[in-house]
Amino acid sequence: MKIVVTGGLGFIGSHTVVELQNEGFEVVIIDNLSNSSREVLEGIEAITSIVPIFEEMDLRDKQSVQQFFKKHSDVSAVIHFAASKAVGESVEDPLLYYENNINTLVYVLQELQKKPASQFIFSSSCTVYGQAEKMPITENASIQIAMSPYGNTKQIGEEIITDVVRVSNINAILLRYFNPIGAHPTAHIGELPIGVPQNLVPFITQTGIGMRQELAVYGDDYPTSDGTCVRDYIHVVDLAKAHVAAMKRLLQNKNKEKVETFNVGTGTGSTVLEVINTFEKVSGKKLPYKIVGRREGDITSAYANTDKANEELGWKALSTLEDGLASAWKWEQKIRS
Ligand code: WQD
């Protein structure tokens, strides 16, 4: 069974390719290398001894997308990661995000719509909930007005897919990720943030390794246990396995609706200071940090109710925050050695 993984050389994409190969799927990666590199292919092979088919391609080029699906006419299953994902950048350059995150989705769906049956997994985000009223967050929590063009592209993407499955033979699953962290335990693949990391964990590991002076903690005056924000940090390997479970559900026709939504998190919230303390414990390093003002657009708290994914997908996150941080630290040491 051939599965196309767009953005398959990226952080979550590459970990999902490994888990798909572990389950015996043949994988075809599409990536334009805008936020990844060919070395990731070697990392995947080092883990599974299987080299995935790789087609360097930009999904913004409609002709290329059409040619690809003509060449791989036997493909009907797609996991779609390819998208830009930096919240701050999306505010600076909205059209880059609307073109890269929406046009590409439309072109892929146009090809799948031509097929007698197809399966589509969409990389969505808990960001669609904004600051949810109730914790833990369930899939029927209301969708808030997006705080950024990035978040808006995830909401629009979900709406496009919902409209399209209604008039086509596409069956889809929307996976709303919470906060992906960590790296494969072998340290052959992991996160490769370009420039100054926006996200907490890569900034922590780069501070731990001495690349950054100190971590700025964006506010400690939130209504939480220690004043810092709460998030649901999920190990990227657990997140990858959720994609395999979702794809199997569609391939085995076990889905109950043509489009289904699942929160993918651990179900546990951790504050920024708890993450720092846990990092210090797993690394044995004292992490230099200072409390600064709040970051524009940050919400106080978000962690998942994962009952639906546990029951329907038969999937549950197995790794702890400690596992995630330990793997992130091992990866940071490896790539800086
Ligand atoms: C986590 C917490 C910060 C950096 C975003 C996107 C989400 C997904 C994950 C793509 C917050 C604090 C952070 C720092 C800090 N991205 N922090 N100092 O904002 O929850 O989610 O990334 O899919 O869609 O919205 O993640 O890691 O940026 O921040 O204090 O240097 O860490 O304030 O409370 P976030 P994050």
Side-chain angles (χ1 to χ4, degrees):
M1 182 70 202
K2 215 188 246 186
I3 313 278
V4 169
V5 180
T6 73
L9 292 183
F11 174 38
I12 304 165
S14 56
H15 288 82
T16 302
V17 168
V18 164
E19 299 308 324
L20 285 167
Q21 291 182 330
N22 288 343
E23 290 294 306
F25 289 105
E26 184 189 355
V27 176
V28 182
I29 293 174
I30 294 175
D31 204 299
N32 67 358
L33 300 178
S34 62
N35 191 20
S36 57
S37 78
R38 278 175 189 280
E39 280 125 64
V40 176
L41 277 172
E42 289 147 33
I44 292 169
E45 188 189 358
I47 298 167
T48 64
S49 309
I50 307 165
V51 184
I53 303 167
F54 168 53
E55 305 243 4
E56 182 177 351
M57 198 175 102
D58 194 321
L59 293 170
R60 286 172 294 191
D61 176 355
K62 186 172 181 176
Q63 303 287 337
S64 310
V65 177
Q66 292 171 331
Q67 277 151 21
F68 175 90
F69 281 95
K70 249 195 210 91
K71 177 179 171 188
H72 296 276
S73 56
D74 54 338
V75 160
S76 68
V78 175
I79 303 180
H80 186 54
F81 291 103
S84 300
K85 61 161 195 170
V87 175
E89 183 188 45
S90 78
V91 175
E92 304 303 315
D93 191 349
L95 285 177
L96 178 130
Y97 275 68
Y98 288 115
E99 184 190 35
N100 195 35
N101 295 10
I102 303 297
N103 291 10
T104 58
L105 171 65
V106 168
Y107 299 155
V108 171
L109 290 173
Q110 282 174 327
E111 295 311 307
L112 291 184
Q113 194 171 35
K114 297 171 186 170
K115 295 176 177 295
S118 60
Q119 301 77 28
F120 190 72
I121 309 277
F122 181 64
S123 163
S124 189
S125 169
C126 63
T127 203
V128 301
Y129 298 116
Q131 179 52 73
E133 265 98 60
K134 216 162 89 33
M135 292 299 134
I137 303 173
T138 63
E139 286 81 356
N140 47 37
S142 62
I143 303 298
Q144 313 271 348
I145 303 273
M147 305 276 276
S148 70
Y150 160 76
N152 205 22
T153 64
K154 291 303 179 185
Q155 290 182 14
I156 296 168
E158 292 193 358
E159 289 161 10
I160 290 172
I161 294 160
T162 304
D163 288 343
V164 170
V165 301
R166 220 177 269 128
V167 293
S168 71
N169 298 313
I170 300 172
N171 283 282
I173 287 180
L174 314 174
L175 296 179
R176 291 176 179 163
Y177 308 159
F178 281 68
N179 288 58
I181 64 164
H184 195 270
T186 61
H188 284 308
I189 54 175
E191 194 170 5
L192 289 166
I194 295 175
V196 179
Q198 297 306 305
N199 294 133
L200 178 66
V201 171
F203 203 105
I204 285 179
T205 55
Q206 288 191 11
T207 304
I209 205 99
M211 272 179 74
R212 309 282 161 206
Q213 281 290 80
E214 65 179 1
L215 170 75
V217 174
Y218 298 136
D220 68 348
D221 58 349
Y222 287 93
T224 64
S225 58
D226 60 23
T228 62
C229 298
V230 173
R231 296 289 186 273
D232 183 334
Y233 296 97
I234 177 167
H235 196 298
V236 64
V237 172
D238 280 326
L239 179 56
K241 288 178 175 170
H243 290 78
V244 180
M247 184 50 83
K248 282 181 172 176
R249 179 179 176 86
L250 292 181
L251 292 172
Q252 293 161 11
N253 298 311
K254 288 184 177 160
N255 51 309
K256 292 176 180 160
E257 291 149 84
K258 287 192 62 91
V259 57
E260 295 177 309
T261 304
F262 293 95
N263 286 342
V264 188
T266 66
T268 303
S270 302
T271 69
V272 175
L273 292 179
E274 284 167 345
V275 174
I276 293 171
N277 295 337
T278 308
F279 174 76
E280 293 183 332
K281 188 173 151 209
V282 302
S283 67
K285 290 255 178 190
K286 187 93 191 80
L287 193 87
Y289 70 88
K290 69 176 184 300
I291 307 289
V292 299
R294 293 184 174 192
R295 180 171 67 174
E296 181 71 28
D298 272 346
I299 56 167
T300 302
S301 174
Y303 56 95
N305 177 313
T306 59
D307 293 348
K308 190 180 172 191
N310 301 158
E311 284 148 29
E312 296 293 336
L313 289 186
W315 167 91
K316 187 167 174 48
L318 302 176
S319 297
T320 62
L321 176 65
E322 246 178 83
D323 299 330
L325 290 169
S327 65
W329 179 232
K330 182 179 173 189
W331 167 250
E332 188 70 59
Q333 290 173 294
K334 156 118 188 260
I335 56 177
R336 308 297 170 201
S337 58

